[in-house]
Amino acid sequence: MDSKPMEAFVASEASVFMNQPPPHMSRPSIIIKLILGLLWTITHLAISFLNLWSHLIYSLECYVISSGLLRKYQNLHLGRLKCLAIVVDSKEAKSTAKVKQLLCWLSSMGVKYVCLYDIEGVLKKSFEPAVNASRDRTAGEHFGIGGNISDLQCSQREMVIDCLSGSDGKEGIAKAGSLLCSTYINGDTHGDGKRKPAFTEADMASALKAVGCGGPEPDLLLMYGPARCHLGFPAWRLRYTEIMYMGPLKSMKYGAIVKALYNFSKKHQNYGK
């Protein structure tokens, strides 16, 4: 049998088959797909509208708070706020002008102790030299560590700053554990000749302080960045910490910070027994 006529026949049949509409694309199925596509579009537009509306309400509320029109936000009672932690995404932490503005706002509100943190140590490199230069002037005050922000061109009340990075997290607890183990192995801390590995919370706190990773537990933690997490902030300092997400640092608002501090001042924490 000649192959050329066979090839011509197959090609003609294939062209006829390709020109025919697929059997599964019936009119009811097309209508259903159109309806589903329309419903998806409506749902997407509704969600986008709600997000836009909530953003407008949030911005308007922050503006009203910043203007001082709401009396309840004018006098903040921050007696319970002994330490405030600020967690910033490392990419956004490179905007030192924004961080300085944030510190000035917090100082004007009456915050006394701020712990700055980013996982890569950008804030440490930017602010720790100034903190170390002024540390001697505030020794023994405000938990005995930190510095003031007189060099940040913010003529407000004195505020202590502590800078942390990812090295103060897992690496810090590893150094403290190594110090405790070496102390246990090299000496008898019990005095009765019996070596019992009984490390207490106070022992760990002393070890963390000895390796330079100690400090107060924040009462409130404000997170700035795209992720809703504390980005590796030392977990042992967050046992009773209230955590609030504030959005990107580039869009921070004075009214949002005032509202966060006000909401914290109205909260009641049960620490248990």
Side-chain angles (χ1 to χ4, degrees):
M1 184 176 180
D2 193 0
S3 61
K4 290 184 178 181
M6 179 61 69
E7 292 177 358
F9 174 77
V10 171
S12 62
E13 291 296 325
S15 62
V16 172
F17 177 77
M18 292 297 291
N19 292 330
Q20 293 180 353
H24 64 279
M25 291 298 292
S26 60
R27 181 172 296 178
S29 62
I30 294 176
I31 295 175
I32 291 175
K33 285 190 174 182
L34 289 175
I35 293 175
L36 291 177
L38 182 61
L39 290 176
W40 183 90
T41 303
I42 294 174
T43 304
H44 179 72
L45 291 175
I47 294 175
S48 300
F49 177 77
L50 289 176
N51 288 335
L52 178 61
W53 179 255
S54 62
H55 178 72
L56 291 175
I57 294 297
Y58 173 76
S59 300
L60 180 60
E61 184 182 18
C62 291
Y63 173 78
V64 172
I65 294 174
S66 302
S67 61
L69 297 178
L70 299 179
R71 292 185 178 180
K72 66 178 183 179
Y73 294 109
Q74 293 180 1
N75 296 319
L76 297 175
H77 302 283
L78 303 179
R80 292 176 47 237
L81 186 60
K82 305 300 182 183
C83 177
L84 172 65
I86 303 293
V87 173
V88 184
D89 181 76
S90 293
K91 292 183 179 180
E92 297 189 347
K94 297 177 182 179
S95 178
T96 55
K98 282 287 186 180
V99 178
K100 288 180 180 180
Q101 182 64 63
L102 176 60
L103 292 174
C104 288
W105 285 349
L106 294 173
S107 178
S108 65
M109 295 175 192
V111 178
K112 297 296 185 181
Y113 192 105
V114 174
C115 181
L116 293 176
Y117 172 88
D118 77 285
I119 193 169
E120 295 181 7
V122 177
L123 296 175
K124 255 190 176 182
K125 296 177 182 178
S126 301
F127 293 97
E128 198 168 41
V131 170
N132 291 335
S134 60
R135 181 170 296 176
D136 294 337
R137 296 196 298 268
T138 58
E141 301 177 6
H142 303 287
F143 304 99
I145 58 177
N148 59 46
I149 59 170
S150 58
D151 58 320
L152 299 182
Q153 298 179 359
C154 183
S155 58
Q156 302 293 338
R157 307 170 188 175
E158 185 179 81
M159 183 172 66
V160 178
I161 300 176
D162 190 14
C163 297
L164 300 177
S165 66
S167 61
D168 299 295
K170 294 180 180 179
E171 294 182 20
I173 202 71
K175 291 179 182 178
S178 177
L179 178 62
L180 287 175
C181 289
S182 61
T183 302
Y184 168 72
I185 292 174
N186 297 330
D188 182 11
T189 59
H190 297 280
D192 54 358
K194 298 179 181 180
R195 313 185 97 198
K196 298 180 181 179
F199 300 132
T200 63
E201 184 177 344
D203 295 332
M204 179 57 71
S206 300
L208 286 169
K209 187 176 181 180
V211 298
C213 296
E217 297 181 6
D219 302 291
L220 175 63
L221 184 144
L222 303 181
M223 300 180 299
Y224 286 94
R228 293 176 177 265
C229 64
H230 58 71
L231 300 175
F233 190 93
W236 59 89
R237 296 174 65 171
L238 298 176
R239 294 182 300 171
Y240 305 111
T241 303
E242 187 78 20
I243 301 176
M244 297 184 185
Y245 177 69
M246 304 297 289
L249 182 67
K250 61 182 180 181
S251 59
M252 70 175 186
K253 295 179 175 60
Y254 180 86
I257 301 173
V258 173
K259 182 179 179 181
L261 297 181
Y262 174 81
N263 290 338
F264 170 78
S265 67
K266 296 300 180 182
K267 291 184 180 294
H268 176 72
Q269 292 179 317
N270 295 318
Y271 296 99
K273 295 182 179 181

